[in-house]
Every structure is written in structure tokens, then in C-alpha cells.
């Protein structure tokens, strides 16, 4: 009896472990799916930012022959080139990851409400491995060409954008216009530093130091890394949109000094 009881208990224990493993697997898939949803939401917000920025770009370009818009019109061209360069490079990384291994992450889904409708979706729940991105960015203890290029572009982007902003202010101050535009990009520069924060070494939760690229991308599930990449794209478009809005506000409010206004009701 004791032998049968032990065998039975072992089977129960084994089934319990299998159940726990399946439960953990299901939770993991839910987390992966949630990261995918967040990634999709960020991509949707990017589309809205791009639509808003296009209106601003068009407004500046259409008025580029006017004196007040001339300097900004010249400089925002450089800003768009720099922004598009980083954004498109990151998009190429994401496309390469999602389309890797014979499109294993893409699946066709039949829409139940319309049997004739078939859509292609990204299966985020199976993006739990890190190998594909690890091989894309890392080779042993060093970086691949793509890994180093990504790091260089990420580091250089904030410097390039802040240099463009400084040049706008400099050119405006050097202009011979009677009334100059009061550009103030300080808050935007702070925002750039916060969103594109970089340090060569990052302190981990264990108190050790890890290189920036390894700390942020090595060993993570693919969907987590893709979401981080989308976050950078979102930050690029956000900064771009904020700069354009700031320029238009400054031009349209040219010559206004709200500190000079006084109330009509004065007390002795």
C-alpha cells in the first residue's frame, strides 16, 4: 500500500507541476499579448503625430518666402532629415525581426463576421525568444555592424536636433530684422535629454554595471524589444511635433510681450 501511495503522490505532484507550468505559460502569453497591444497603441499615436506634423510642415513651407518663416523653413528641412533617418532605420530593424524566419510571426486570420475577409496579423504571443534580436545586435562580447549603427544613431540624434534648434536661435539673432522672433527651445531640449537619455554604463538591479545596449536589449523577449524600439520612434515624432508647434507659436506671437500689458483697474 505504501508503494502505491508513494507512486500516486508522485503522479499528483507531477500533475501539479505540469499545471503550474501551464498556468505560468498562459500568463506569459497574456503578458506578451499585452505588450503587443501597447506596441500597436504607440504606433497608432505615431500616425496621429505624423498627421499633425505634416500640417505644420506644410504651413511653414507655404510661407517660406516670408521673412519671418525663412530661417525656420530652412532649418526644419534638416530636422526632418535627421528624424526620418533614425525613425526609418528603427523601422527597418522591426521589419527585419517580424519578417525573420519565414514570417513565422505573421498569421492569417479569418474574420468571423465576414467569412470572405482574411487579414494578416502579428502573433505577439509567440515572440517570447530573444535569439533573433540578440543575433542582430550582438556577436559575442561585441556589437554587430547593425548594433553599433543603432547605438551611434541613437546617441547622435539628440545632439543633432539640439544643434538645429541652437542654429535657429543664432540665425534669428543675427538677422537684420527690426523685430526678431523670440524662440525659446529650453524646455524642448530638456525633453530631448529625458527621452534620449544615454550613459555608456547602466547600473542593474543587482548593483552591477552593464553596457547601454546590452542592458536595454539583450536577452529580452522580442516583443519587449520591439516595443522599446517603437517607443523611440514615438519619441522622435513627439519631439519633431513639439518643435514645429513651438516655431509656429513663436512666429505668430512675434513682437508680443505679455509682460508689458497692464490691467485697466489700478489701485493706489
Amino acid at each position: 500500500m505504501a508503494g502505491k501511495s508513494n507512486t500516486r503522490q508522485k503522479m499528483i505532484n507531477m500533475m501539479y507541476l505540469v499545471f503550474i507550468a501551464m498556468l505560468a505559460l498562459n500568463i506569459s502569453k497574456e503578458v506578451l499579448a499585452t505588450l503587443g497591444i501597447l506596441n500597436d497603441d504607440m504606433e497608432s499615436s505615431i500616425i496621429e503625430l505624423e498627421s499633425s506634423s505634416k500640417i505644420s510642415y506644410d504651413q511653414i513651407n507655404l510661407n517660406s518666402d516670408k521673412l519671418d518663416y525663412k530661417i525656420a523653413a530652412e532649418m526644419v528641412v534638416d530636422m526632418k532629415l535627421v528624424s526620418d533617418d533614425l525613425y526609418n532605420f528603427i523601422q527597418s530593424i522591426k521589419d527585419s525581426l517580424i519578417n525573420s524566419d519565414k514570417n513565422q510571426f505573421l498569421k492569417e486570420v479569418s474574420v468571423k463576421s465576414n467569412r470572405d475577409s482574411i487579414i494578416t496579423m502579428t502573433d505577439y504571443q509567440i515572440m517570447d525568444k530573444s535569439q533573433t534580436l540578440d543575433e542582430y545586435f550582438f556577436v559575442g562580447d561585441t556589437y554587430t555592424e547593425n548594433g553599433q549603427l543603432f547605438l551611434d544613431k541613437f546617441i547622435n540624434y539628440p545632439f543633432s536636433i539640439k544643434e538645429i534648434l541652437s542654429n535657429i536661435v543664432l540665425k534669428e539673432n543675427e538677422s537684420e530684422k527690426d523685430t526678431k522672433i523670440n524662440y525659446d527651445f529650453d524646455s524642448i531640449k530638456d525633453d530631448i535629454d529625458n527621452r534620449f537619455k544615454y550613459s555608456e554604463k547602466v547600473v542593474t538591479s543587482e548593483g552591477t554595471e552593464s553596457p547601454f545596449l546590452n542592458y536595454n536589449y539583450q536577452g529580452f523577449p522580442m516583443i519587449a524589444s520591439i516595443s522599446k524600439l517603437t517607443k523611440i520612434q514615438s519619441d522622435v515624432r513627439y519631439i519633431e511635433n513639439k518643435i514645429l508647434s513651438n516655431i509656429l507659436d513663436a512666429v505668430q506671437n512675434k513682437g508680443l510681450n505679455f509682460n508689458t500689458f497692464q490691467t485697466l483697474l489700478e489701485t493706489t
Side-chain angles (χ1 to χ4, degrees):
M1 286 291 291
K4 289 183 179 180
S5 178
N6 289 338
T7 302
R8 181 170 178 271
Q9 188 62 45
K10 288 180 180 179
M11 291 181 64
I12 293 174
N13 291 344
M14 182 65 71
M15 292 176 64
Y16 180 75
L17 291 174
V18 171
F19 172 76
I20 293 297
M22 291 177 65
L23 184 61
L25 183 61
N26 288 334
I27 294 175
S28 176
K29 285 185 176 181
E30 290 176 358
V31 172
L32 294 173
T34 301
L35 287 173
I37 293 172
L38 293 174
N39 181 74
D40 289 344
D41 286 344
M42 280 192 291
E43 290 185 339
S44 296
S45 68
I46 288 173
I47 294 175
E48 294 177 3
L49 284 171
E50 289 177 332
S51 177
S52 174
S53 293
K54 185 180 184 306
I55 295 174
S56 298
Y57 273 123
D58 289 344
Q59 182 175 347
I60 294 173
N61 184 54
L62 288 172
N63 291 280
S64 60
D65 57 333
K66 297 179 181 178
L67 192 59
D68 287 339
Y69 285 88
K70 186 176 181 181
I71 293 174
E74 293 174 353
M75 301 307 296
V76 295
V77 173
D78 294 334
M79 180 181 71
K80 182 164 179 56
L81 288 174
V82 172
S83 298
D84 285 351
D85 180 65
L86 177 58
Y87 183 95
N88 292 334
F89 179 72
I90 292 177
Q91 188 61 47
S92 70
I93 295 175
K94 290 167 57 179
D95 291 342
S96 178
L97 294 175
I98 294 175
N99 296 324
S100 63
D101 299 327
K102 298 180 180 179
N103 296 336
Q104 65 163 324
F105 302 116
L106 301 177
K107 65 177 182 179
E108 292 186 345
V109 178
S110 299
V111 182
K112 293 182 179 180
S113 59
N114 185 355
R115 295 182 179 180
D116 296 330
S117 178
I118 298 177
I119 59 176
T120 301
M121 300 180 62
T122 303
D123 191 356
Y124 294 118
Q125 292 188 357
I126 63 174
M127 289 186 172
D128 56 343
K129 302 294 189 297
S130 66
Q131 182 179 356
T132 304
L133 184 62
D134 286 348
E135 292 176 349
Y136 195 89
F137 275 170
F138 309 100
V139 51
D141 296 330
T142 60
Y143 302 147
T144 63
E145 183 179 347
N146 286 319
Q148 187 61 54
L149 185 57
F150 167 77
L151 189 61
D152 291 341
K153 287 180 179 292
F154 180 85
I155 294 173
N156 291 332
Y157 177 77
F159 289 103
S160 298
I161 295 298
K162 286 191 288 186
E163 184 179 11
I164 290 171
L165 297 181
S166 297
N167 285 336
I168 291 176
V169 175
L170 179 63
K171 288 177 180 293
E172 180 66 22
N173 291 336
E174 291 178 345
S175 66
E176 297 179 355
K177 294 188 294 185
D178 295 332
T179 306
K180 294 181 173 57
I181 299 171
N182 183 28
Y183 289 115
D184 184 4
F185 298 123
D186 288 344
S187 64
I188 295 179
K189 290 181 178 180
D190 290 339
D191 209 352
I192 293 172
D193 289 335
N194 290 329
R195 290 173 182 266
F196 294 89
K197 190 177 296 182
Y198 170 80
S199 60
E200 187 175 345
K201 297 288 185 179
V202 182
V203 179
T204 68
S205 58
E206 289 79 22
T208 59
E209 290 186 333
S210 176
F212 177 86
L213 197 62
N214 302 66
Y215 177 82
N216 283 284
Y217 295 99
Q218 191 172 36
F220 288 92
M222 185 188 295
I223 181 54
S225 295
I226 288 177
S227 297
K228 288 182 180 181
L229 293 172
T230 303
K231 173 64 167 57
I232 297 175
Q233 289 180 305
S234 177
D235 288 338
V236 168
R237 293 311 190 208
Y238 171 82
I239 292 297
E240 189 179 15
N241 184 267
K242 191 172 182 179
I243 292 172
L244 292 168
S245 297
N246 187 292
I247 289 173
L248 289 173
D249 287 343
V251 171
Q252 291 164 6
N253 293 326
K254 174 188 173 182
L256 292 180
N257 184 354
F258 294 99
N259 293 327
T260 62
F261 287 98
Q262 296 180 337
T263 178
L264 295 176
L265 297 177
E266 296 182 353
T267 59
T268 60

